[in-house]
Structures are given as structure tokens and as C-alpha cells.
Amino acid sequence: AVQAWVRGCELGRERACTMAGDTYYTANGVKQDYALAAKLLDRGCMGGDHNACSELGIMFLGNAGVGTDVSRSGRLFKSACDGGSSAGCTNLGYLVEFGKATTKNPQLAAQLYAKGCKLDDASCASLAQATHAGIGVPKSIENAEKLFRIACRAHDVSSCAVLRVFADPSTVVNPVDAKRNFEVWKGTCSSGIERDCTGIGVIGMATGSVTEGRNFVQKGCSMGDAWACELLKLQVKVN
């Protein structure tokens, strides 16, 4: 499949560039190759695939072999969001929420999360996190849980993990997606991406590593993630 996507990319199919780039970035069945991933994603982005722009922006947040350039990430995320990429909107919202290379603005961050949620149910996870912690929107655990359920039904593994750990232990968490996200976010967490530390913490707790996972959530809280701090107040319903 990867060979086919690379060939499609060479033939000018920007979506194929994105698929191949994502595969090399996340090491999904192939050896991880950050340089090739960035090259493919850049080609997809330049060709008009806004999701490629968003993923390339994530690589420039750090720990992805291409250097750290948060300002460039912001430009890529904005371009992606303006083009209708839900991930672009939620990633831009993250930068705005935490004030990275821009002015910290919780209300604008929540608006960007809401836009992402409207574009794709899976992206409702970010709005759910903001709603749970009262970041730019009224705090409501009930409304947050509704949003997590919407995102989980759309196969967002982090939302399913939240529900499994803190609401309903019978919630199924896809083990393949959980492992892939854990490995990718472990790198971005070590680069200072607070929300990713929290995310892998929840995934770890949901997949049997409760103590290690809680440590990651605590790390997210200590780094300034208000949502992580709220999670630490909740009762854990898995062993």
C-alpha cells in the first residue's frame, strides 16, 4: 500500500502523498523515516491537501527529525483550518490555548475546537477537553462526556480511553490505534506538548498501565495542562 501511495504521490495525487507521509511518520507497518515523511507531507500540502499541512505542522512542533519551528506550525495549522481541515483547527486551537508562538486566548481556542468539531466528529475530543476543564467555555463534565462519546463513535481513540477510564469501563479501546498514538505522542510529550502527555496518560490507563498512565497525566498537569489537572480529580474506574 505504501509503495502504491508513493507512486501515486509521484503522479501528482496529493492525498497519496499525505497517506504515505503519515505512514512513514507514525511507522505504521514501515520503518520510521521522518525526513521522507516531511518531504511527502510537504508535497501533499503544496498540492492542496490541507490535512497534510496539519500533520506537517505537528512534525515542526518538535521531536520529529525536522527541527522545531512553532511559528511555522502555526502557519501550517491556520492554512489547514482555513482549508477545512478539522485537525488543522484543533491543532491551531492548541497553540492558541497554550500561547505558543501567539497570544494565549482560551476563548479563541474554544472557538477553533468547536469549528473542528463541526467539521469532523472525531475532532470533538478537543472541545470535550476544553469543556471538561472550562477552557474558554463554561465548565461541564456532563457536556464534555457527551462530546467524548461523539468523538469515540467516530473512532477517536483518546476519547474512548477517557470514557473507559473515568465513565464506563466497558468502552472498547482499539489496541492498534492506542499503541500507535502512544508511541507518536510519547515523542511529542517529551518535546513539551502538554496535551499529548495527558493523552498518552489516559491511553496508558485505559490499556492496563494505570500507574504509568497516571504519571503521564500528572506530568501534563505539572506542565500547565488544565484538563490534566481536572482528570486527576476524577475517580479511576479501571484497574
Side-chain angles (χ1 to χ4, degrees), residues 158 180-190 196 199-200 203:
S158 64
R180 184 162 55 243
N181 281 38
F182 190 93
E183 291 303 318
V184 172
W185 290 351
K186 186 166 63 175
T188 51
C189 169
S190 66
D196 286 355
I200 61 174
I203 288 175

Side-chain angles (χ1 to χ4, degrees), residues 84-167:
S85 166
S86 61
C89 294
T90 56
N91 288 330
L92 181 60
Y94 160 76
L95 294 184
V96 173
E97 177 187 340
F98 287 89
K100 294 181 181 287
T102 187
T103 302
K104 189 173 184 178
N105 188 330
Q107 289 72 31
L108 177 56
Q111 292 171 15
L112 288 164
Y113 293 150
K115 181 177 179 179
C117 182
K118 288 180 181 179
L119 289 168
D120 181 3
D121 283 353
S123 290
C124 291
S126 294
L127 182 59
Q129 294 160 5
T131 302
H132 181 195
I135 301 167
V137 292
K139 180 179 178 179
S140 172
I141 293 179
E142 180 181 356
N143 289 339
E145 184 174 328
K146 291 178 181 177
L147 289 164
F148 280 128
R149 292 191 181 281
I150 290 171
C152 180
R153 286 195 294 269
H155 309 296
D156 177 70
V157 67
S158 64
S159 294
C160 296
V162 170
L163 294 171
R164 177 174 172 78
V165 174
F166 300 107

Side-chain angles (χ1 to χ4, degrees), residues 146-226:
K146 291 178 181 177
L147 289 164
F148 280 128
R149 292 191 181 281
I150 290 171
C152 180
R153 286 195 294 269
H155 309 296
D156 177 70
V157 67
S158 64
S159 294
C160 296
V162 170
L163 294 171
R164 177 174 172 78
V165 174
F166 300 107
D168 181 5
S170 68
T171 304
V172 176
V173 175
N174 185 300
V176 176
D177 290 344
K179 182 178 180 181
R180 184 162 55 243
N181 281 38
F182 190 93
E183 291 303 318
V184 172
W185 290 351
K186 186 166 63 175
T188 51
C189 169
S190 66
S191 295
I193 308 304
E194 307 89 341
R195 188 61 47 80
D196 286 355
C197 296
T198 308
I200 61 174
V202 174
I203 288 175
M205 295 172 77
T207 53
S209 301
V210 176
T211 300
E212 180 186 18
R214 185 174 178 82
N215 288 340
F216 273 112
V217 175
Q218 289 176 327
K219 180 177 181 179
C221 178
S222 67
M223 293 168 71
D225 183 2

Side-chain angles (χ1 to χ4, degrees), residues 72-84 88-89 92 115:
R72 184 172 181 181
S73 292
R75 294 192 296 271
L76 286 164
F77 292 154
K78 186 177 187 306
S79 174
C81 182
D82 290 344
C89 294
L92 181 60
K115 181 177 179 179

